[in-house]
Amino acid sequence: MRPMTEEESKTFFEKLIKFIGKNVTLLIQRKDEPYCFRIQKNKVYYVSEELMKRSQNIPREGLCSLGTCFGRFTKTGKFKLNITCLDYLAQYAKYKVWVKPSSEMSWMYGNNLLKAGLGRITEDTPANQGVVLFSMNDVPIGFGVTSKSTHECRKLDPQALVVYHYGDVGEYLRDEDIM
Amino acid sequence: MTEEIVNASDILTKKLDGHLIDGEDTLLYDLGNLTAFDHSSLNKTEYKSNPNEYINKLSRDNVQLLISRLFQLPIKEIEEGSLALLPRCTTPIPRERSLPTSKPKTRWEAFAEIKGIKKKKKSSMEWDKEHEEYRPTFGYKKANDVANDWAMLARPDDKVGEDPFKKLEDEKNDRVSKQKKREQRNFDEASMRQMSNVGKTLSFDKEHRGQIKSDMEKVFDVAKLSTASLGKFDKRVENEKDAPKRGKKKLAGLGAGDVAQESENNSKLIDRMFKKENVLNVDKATRQFVKAEERENYSKKRSSGGKDNKSQKRFKK
């Protein structure tokens, strides 16, 4: 367990800003309790200070995880978000997409979202923007990247792709072994 | 008178009966080292009943056997008494000190070995023409010594005003100094191979001063660690610098840092990132522009519609 270096922090926050924008400061400076990001075996964990201090008593080889896992760094230095940080993304997301009930299962099996399954989308969402996907009763079910802006979505045919799949809650079952 | 016949063997048996050992002799002997080895097993019952007594009896018996064997050796008579001639040692004893290393080769010896040059023994005496007798080749009273002549023949290459006797002396001194340099070089190379920086003698002129200083510093650092506490509790010399630290470096920033400071640093980083970003939403601006254009076109159409109404009115009139 160690803090992130300057370069790692930059890469990490760039990816996070893609989804939650300026709200990333709310993660860093919290009102209730100081929180921090720590790396353990190339995975980034969001953990309270008290828990972090207690976990320092455990050697690195024996520490499995601590706090909430946000994602992992690849060996080439890129950062990939994990589904386990969905609660935080959903809480602070700027752009949201609601999915029709008929397409929820398709998305949760790992498929991309089609225009036919698009229920609602935040106004003025730009293309290639990170978004959080909700079911019609406001339950977060995943996150992805838009292929078209809101304006362009209205003119698309029902079979066109709207949101590229990035992560979904179905991974808790599909990737249970490696998670 | 009646006389009994006495046998010597009977006398011997009675006399020595108290000392001789009954039983088999199972020892292995190395009489050269005055040593015997007993490999037979112990009697467990007797040992457990009284260990000290058993061990003492066993030791005494074995020593008796060893000494009896010594008295069977061939004997040499001298004035003080009889000496036993000990045989060769059979037990190998390891050497106390390491084997002496061979003398390091000089450059010439190494070269000669590679080339296969053999050393030929020369006679130390040479025939002297002047005195008509054999004289040493080198040194005092050497044969054919030119320096002792009262006159020396001039050669075509001699320079005007040059003293041939002084020249001869200078050449000899040159040869001697060259030989000294070679010997020193051989010594330096040999000592360098064995242990560096020991036995090296450099002259204290300017070109060697830096080398001498660095060598001195290295030796000093080594000496500092050569104490019982590895220099930890030693008295410091005036103007002594700290020794360079060795060993593993601890991981800096293991995570025990200040979280508040870290959060602040992260916030500054994010502020910097946002400044670089383009805040303008291009799609939104484009859409607004398009809407404005459409609104303008609509108003134009309305004005042209008004004109049409006017023309209709004229037709009615």
Side-chain angles (χ1 to χ4, degrees), chain B residues 15 29 34 50 69 89 92 94 96 124 147 191 203 214 231 233 270 275 287 292 316-317:
Chain B
K15 203 170 185 181
Y29 292 99
L34 302 179
N50 197 333
R69 186 62 71 95
C89 306
E96 183 191 353
S124 62
S191 60
S203 56
S214 66
F233 300 108
I270 286 159
K275 279 176 184 175
R287 229 172 299 112
K316 285 179 181 177
K317 287 175 183 178

Side-chain angles (χ1 to χ4, degrees), chain A residues 1-3 6 9-10 13-14 17 21-22 24 28-29 35 37-38 49 52 56 60 124 149 151, chain B residues 251 253-257 259 262-264 266-267 269-274 276-277 281 283-284 287:
Chain A
M1 185 193 71
R2 62 176 175 83
E6 179 83 8
S9 296
K10 197 172 181 181
F13 286 122
E14 272 174 5
I17 282 163
K22 191 71 177 179
V24 74
I28 292 162
Q29 289 168 343
Y35 269 66
F37 292 98
R38 286 284 179 271
E49 186 181 8
M52 182 267 289
Q56 287 183 47
R60 285 186 172 185
D124 292 332
S149 62
H151 191 67
Chain B
L251 289 168
L254 185 59
V259 173
E262 192 180 320
S263 298
E264 194 176 328
N266 284 339
S267 295
L269 176 66
I270 286 159
D271 290 344
R272 264 184 275 133
M273 290 165 73
F274 270 108
K276 292 176 188 175
E277 270 195 9
N281 192 336
D283 287 337
K284 194 168 187 177
R287 229 172 299 112

